[in-house]
Amino acid sequence: MATEAGELLRDGLKKEFSFQFKGEVDIVTEMDRAAQDLIAQKIRKNYPGHGILAEEGLEYEGSSRYKWIVDPLDGTTNYAHRFPVFCISIGILYDEVPTCGVVHNPMTDETFTAAIGQGAMLNGIPIHVSSTANLATSLLGTGFPYQKREITDNNLSHFCALTLLSQGIRRCGSAALDLCFVACGRLDGFWELHLKPWDVAAGVLIVSEAGGAVSDFSGNQTGIDGSEILATNGHIHSDMAEALILSRPGQGED
Ligand code: IPD
Ligand code: CA
Ligand code: CA
């Protein structure tokens, strides 16, 4: 179903589509909704009792212990500008624990998958996090919350600190892809604040199953509804965590 939604989104990029503002910065396009409808219909048809939580206003409790967490288009701002970096992210929880995940990039035809205890794959081939041992030679990913103009923990202080400490930082515009890039070693680490369950439900499992580490900035275990996430190859985890704590807004002030 992620592949079919991907075809819909890829074809949609060549056409006109409408969009609305959900907040001052945050938008939704008609393609976000069309992809969500396609995925939700497939889940309901094939797994009628399963719960669903999807970004564009769909929440269904269901009678099963399984719940699907769906971001039908991760990278909406990119998509709306026809910047071709976006994906579909689908995670499945069993008793609230991430058990399966798929992230599909229709522009590169790359599908990242993971099942708990069974490793992570890219197009069916096992993947593993990088072996980069030092923050200074690491390539990192991050993103900024839509509320960036209203809140102080908008990631700018962390971004400044890690820009100087790392080899480089990329802001690709899709948190789910960022996590997959950590999983397959294209990035050595990723952090972000204020993400939602649908941004990370698939990606955190893919990183863990690829041998990476996932926590909050203090190094504590975090669920898919945590307000901060740090995902790395494991080797640079404590150095990144330390840099994130030291660069918290207000840190060092009396
Ligand atoms: C966004 C993307 C982006 C991240 C934002 C998310 P959306 O999701 O994942 O990379 O920085 O915080 O909200 O709105 O494109 O699904
Ligand atoms: Ca998202
Ligand atoms: Ca989305």
Side-chain angles (χ1 to χ4, degrees), residues 7-252:
E7 277 167 28
L8 181 96
L9 291 176
R10 197 182 50 220
D11 294 348
L13 257 198
K14 297 176 206 139
K15 302 177 189 156
E16 290 300 309
F17 51 80
S18 62
F19 68 90
Q20 283 107 40
F21 279 88
K22 296 201 274 189
E24 203 187 336
V25 178
D26 194 3
I27 54 173
V28 57
T29 73
E30 70 175 288
M31 299 310 296
D32 293 74
R33 295 204 171 102
Q36 178 165 302
D37 289 349
L38 184 153
I39 295 164
Q41 262 175 32
K42 299 244 172 225
I43 299 171
R44 285 191 170 124
K45 184 165 172 235
N46 295 301
Y47 308 96
H50 288 196
I52 308 176
L53 173 68
E55 180 176 7
E56 307 310 336
L58 173 58
E59 189 158 11
Y60 168 64
E61 205 42 58
S63 52
S64 154
R65 295 163 84 175
Y66 287 102
K67 188 192 252 180
W68 297 62
I69 312 290
V70 180
D71 192 337
L73 199 183
D74 188 49
T76 296
T77 306
N78 285 347
Y79 193 87
H81 288 266
R82 298 178 200 270
F83 186 88
V85 179
F86 57 89
C87 67
I88 295 99
S89 172
I90 304 175
I92 304 179
L93 311 184
Y94 181 76
D95 283 345
E96 302 302 318
V97 177
T99 358
C100 275
V102 58
V103 172
H104 176 62
N105 179 346
M107 303 309 286
T108 56
D109 245 324
E110 290 183 316
T111 307
F112 297 86
T113 51
I116 194 162
Q118 290 175 45
M121 314 231 228
L122 167 52
N123 290 348
I125 296 165
I127 50 172
H128 206 271
V129 291
S130 70
S131 56
T132 308
N134 302 307
L135 189 48
T137 52
S138 291
L139 186 64
L140 309 178
T142 192
F144 299 89
Y146 288 119
Q147 328 79 294
K148 61 190 176 188
R149 294 177 188 152
E150 289 101 56
I151 58 176
T152 48
D153 59 337
N154 59 9
N155 200 16
L156 289 177
S157 60
H158 301 304
F159 183 77
C160 290
L162 282 158
T163 294
L164 296 179
L165 292 169
S166 66
Q167 188 168 37
I169 302 185
R170 301 292 175 261
R171 196 288 193 245
C172 97
S174 160
L177 281 180
D178 284 322
L179 287 164
C180 292
F181 293 164
V182 172
C184 71
R186 292 174 191 167
L187 292 175
D188 306 301
F190 164 75
W191 84 96
E192 197 163 336
L193 297 118
H194 306 295
L195 288 173
K196 296 286 197 280
W198 43 79
D199 297 313
V200 300
V204 292
L205 183 67
I206 295 170
V207 171
S208 309
E209 288 295 325
V214 181
S215 73
D216 65 12
F217 294 176
S218 307
N220 299 316
Q221 214 184 336
T222 179
I224 61 167
D225 38 22
S227 65
E228 48 187 47
I229 186 167
L230 170 62
T232 72
N233 65 4
H235 307 295
I236 61 165
H237 207 82
S238 54
D239 285 354
M240 264 191 90
E242 188 186 7
L244 289 166
I245 296 290
L246 288 173
S247 57
R248 274 196 203 282
Q251 185 70 25

